[in-house]
Amino acid sequence: MTEVWAHRGASGYAPENTLPAFELALEQGADGFELDVQLTRDDEVVVIHDETLERTTDGHGWVADHSLDDLKKLDASYGNAKYAGTQIPTLAEVFDLVRDSGARVNIELKNSEIRYKGLEERVLALVESHQMASRVVLSSFNHYSLRHLFGLGTTLPLGALYADPLWKPWQYAGRLGATAVHPSVSATRRKIVEKCHEHGLSVHVWTVNEPADLKRLLGLSVDAVITDYPNVARALIG
Ligand code: G3P
Ligand code: MG
């Protein structure tokens, strides 16, 4: 059965990567959600998509130049008055929120533009201390980071994110040490899904918002669709 993972939470309805967006995703019947993490100046793991603050908060500059205390003073409601005052969450706060829900959490390490030193170790430590290992999938567009995680000996599922079609991703992901591929909608074809499954790899596709794409991917039996509208996907899957 294809799982529904809410992209940055139920970001079609609530400010992306915030606790209300994650809560809403679960209320809408998502099996879990995807989120993005970056590292603060004082090495705290925070949940925010961009390396900079301008798009989704009332702050300015780089996440990496701010302490967690600084970031907690910002409004992350992304212009949505209903959610005014919503803060940038830490990864630990998200884990506390979903502790009793059984929800899956796909943590995307956003470390392609800035190679945050120690981000992988910090994320692994938080997963361990919050006893979330059975529910977490780690992913990144930075495959050196995935390789670093593999080298650290983690047994957590590792997903190789990519946007443009890769040649034989089932071979590449296997050599990398990944357990899943995370292709874009347009990079997902029947043969790729079948070959990945034959090779024991899961297929988690992003960002699946159009009903026609949802139906095509459900027909391919992908393992998860990552969507801004979890209620729509849930209604289709049942
Ligand atoms: O993890 C899937 C998707 O979130 C990747 O792209 O830019 O939305 O983080 P982006
Ligand atoms: Mg993401």
Side-chain angles (χ1 to χ4, degrees):
M1 177 70 86
T2 301
E3 290 194 2
V4 177
W5 297 357
H7 180 236
R8 313 180 193 173
S11 60
Y13 307 98
E16 65 176 58
N17 282 323
T18 62
L19 296 184
F22 301 134
E23 278 176 318
L24 184 59
L26 301 186
E27 282 168 32
Q28 291 189 348
D31 298 293
F33 46 80
E34 184 260 9
L35 53 78
D36 308 284
V37 295
Q38 320 241 2
L39 212 50
T40 66
R41 192 181 70 209
D42 46 350
D43 287 336
E44 296 291 341
V45 181
V46 283
V47 180
I48 182 168
H49 179 274
D50 297 2
E51 291 76 13
T52 50
L53 296 163
E54 281 81 354
R55 183 178 64 86
T56 58
T57 80
D58 57 354
H60 300 281
W62 300 91
V63 172
D65 285 343
H66 291 73
S67 67
L68 179 59
D69 279 353
D70 291 340
L71 294 175
K72 280 292 184 187
K73 295 182 183 118
L74 302 180
D75 184 323
S77 61
Y78 196 6
N80 188 334
K82 187 176 163 197
Y83 296 97
T86 302
Q87 295 177 330
I88 296 172
T90 63
L91 183 58
E93 286 167 343
V94 177
F95 286 161
D96 288 341
L97 179 80
V98 301
R99 180 183 310 284
D100 302 321
S101 69
R104 201 177 301 285
V105 183
N106 172 199
I107 302 167
E108 181 190 343
L109 283 73
K110 270 282 179 239
N111 52 1
S112 292
E113 193 168 327
I114 300 176
R115 187 72 175 92
Y116 293 110
K117 192 169 164 24
L119 177 61
E120 294 89 347
E121 288 82 352
R122 293 285 291 149
V123 168
L124 290 181
L126 285 165
V127 171
E128 171 91 19
S129 62
H130 287 75
Q131 300 177 306
M132 287 291 293
S134 63
R135 291 155 56 187
V136 160
V137 176
L138 304 178
S139 61
S140 182
F141 284 105
N142 183 340
H143 298 178
Y144 288 93
S145 177
L146 294 177
R147 189 66 188 170
H148 182 59
L149 284 160
F150 182 76
L152 290 171
T154 184
T155 54
L156 296 176
L158 300 177
L161 269 162
Y162 60 95
D164 293 327
L166 274 186
W167 188 64
K168 298 189 177 178
W170 54 92
Q171 292 183 357
Y172 172 72
R175 289 192 62 198
L176 181 64
T179 58
V181 293
H182 289 213
S184 64
V185 173
S186 59
T188 308
R189 294 283 177 270
R190 178 175 297 279
K191 182 181 173 188
I192 287 174
V193 178
E194 287 175 356
K195 283 288 191 183
C196 284
H197 283 167
E198 265 175 41
H199 286 75
L201 295 159
S202 302
V203 181
H204 308 137
V205 186
W206 58 279
T207 303
V208 195
N209 287 340
E210 297 300 324
D213 288 327
L214 274 168
K215 285 177 192 155
R216 178 176 76 85
L217 293 165
L218 296 179
L220 300 185
S221 297
V222 301
D223 299 278
V225 286
I226 303 172
T227 176
D228 297 342
Y229 305 98
N231 57 333
V232 175
R234 183 82 281 151
L236 272 176
I237 294 172

